[in-house]
Amino acid sequence: MSTLDASATARRALFYLLTNDTDDRRPLYDALPVEHPVYRDASGTWMVSSYRLAKEVLNSPDFSNRTPSAETGALQDTAGILDMMLFQSEDHHHRLRQVFAPLFSRTRMASLRELVQADLAALFAQIPDPARFDLVAQVAQRLPVLTICRLLGIDVTDTSRLVAASLSAIRLISFAPLRPHEHAQAVTQTMAFMGELNGYMPGVLSLIRAGDTPASPAAAQQGATATYRELLVNVLLMFIAGYGTTMLSIGNTVSEALRRPGLWRSLVAEPASVSGVIRELMRVEPVVHILIRYAVRDAMLDGLSVKAGERVALLIAAANRDPAEFEAPGEVRLDRTSGNSLAFGAGMHGCIGVALARMQLEALFAALIERMPNVALERDANPYLQEGCFRGYRELWLTNARSPSPAA
Ligand code: HEM
């Protein structure tokens, strides 16, 4: 039985996709949009691989991030996760986004860019053996958390401890299947981390208030506000959404670039193309492989009748390779005129941190190109990491022939 047969029709297809970290998914994601653009697996989950349909669901008010048990109040939300903007809709969602928008102003992005470049210089200088190293351990696990701490004004002395303390919160929003005791433990640990973040709130709030560009004249007029509880839980969201995704994106984009030696050589020759190349690399290997939605009410999906409460799994990594939208989808092309990749989502929940994420990736590529133009993948098979809907690499071993000495 091929991987496609096993995953496309198996009863627990979604479970398989959320938990399996051993397989190379490329053949599956290439085939799904063509062979099964939308189908219902035996567990009743709608599996969507068509780009057009995935985008339609993301833009439709008929589908929400909240499970039906959250709507009926049957879900115990001790940690207050449902106050995250990710799980809110309409006015509540809009209000929370407006409150946090000043953190991402152009001026703040420009000042963070300088810090990111300095952090990268320090991280590259600390690599013990630049001739052979794990990019994930040396750079990807460090840079984004430093950046997110700077974004939120959090003391950056102990980033690895903050990462460890926040891992449970990532599990809670990742749609990773958790047993009841695992869920309870994750909630307890998340609440402990929120207690810690609470200590940083005065600094975060002053950064939000100091934002130099009101999100919009309308928001300024309405004076978008939030309760303290909403602010705290959304600072938690910024923290975990901000570093985990960027960390995994570093491995995914660098790996995809180096799998294509011709592409890497052209980047070294013409570094100005890095921004467009990164967009394409994120399309072919997005970190958020899957987005889950629930039908809020009975809805039609391409002529199919989806009942209120039913689950829809948007297979983003497959939709991003849908040949109906992207000609020669496996190729990195800078002249594409159709379709925006869904790597950062779409619709009202589209990523608020796009500019920050892209800036870090561009700075990382610029640093690699400048310092290690001969860098290569040491081996094709690096171990994957699958945490629910998030996918990346646990390790990414690179070699660097004729690298300059760290002091150079
Ligand atoms: C390469 C890195 C990143 C990727 C691939 C990524 C991807 C995504 C995706 C796919 C969504 C949509 C989720 C959904 O529709 O359910 C999203 C939403 C979000 N992202 Fe990102 N993200 C990245 C970086 C960041 C950063 C740096 C931040 C903040 C510092 C951030 C904060 C958020 C927040 C708060 C949301 C929820 C927005 C809302 O509900 O309105 N992300 N991201």
Side-chain angles (χ1 to χ4, degrees), residues 176-195:
L178 298 178
R179 295 190 183 91
H181 74 276
E182 289 171 333
H183 187 268
Q185 190 182 35
V187 169
T188 306
Q189 288 167 349
T190 298
M191 289 174 71
F193 183 56
M194 279 166 69

Side-chain angles (χ1 to χ4, degrees), residues 308-319:
E310 285 179 353
R311 183 167 58 183
V312 181
L314 307 172
L315 307 184
I316 300 299

Side-chain angles (χ1 to χ4, degrees), residues 58 65 85-88 93 97 104 148 151 175 234 237-239 241-243 245-247 249 282 286-288 291-293 342-346 348-354 356-358 360-361:
L58 289 172
N65 265 341
M85 63 178 79
L86 193 56
F87 300 108
Q88 294 290 325
H93 171 264
R97 249 186 110 115
F104 301 92
I148 206 73
L151 176 83
F175 291 100
N234 279 286
L237 173 64
M238 293 298 152
F239 191 89
Y243 88 78
T245 46
T246 313
M247 174 184 94
S249 276
M282 292 188 71
V287 162
V288 182
L291 286 172
I292 304 285
R293 293 293 191 264
L342 299 177
F344 286 103
M348 85 164 121
H349 293 293
C351 182
I352 199 173
V354 179
L356 183 60
R358 286 207 178 115
Q360 290 176 84
L361 289 167

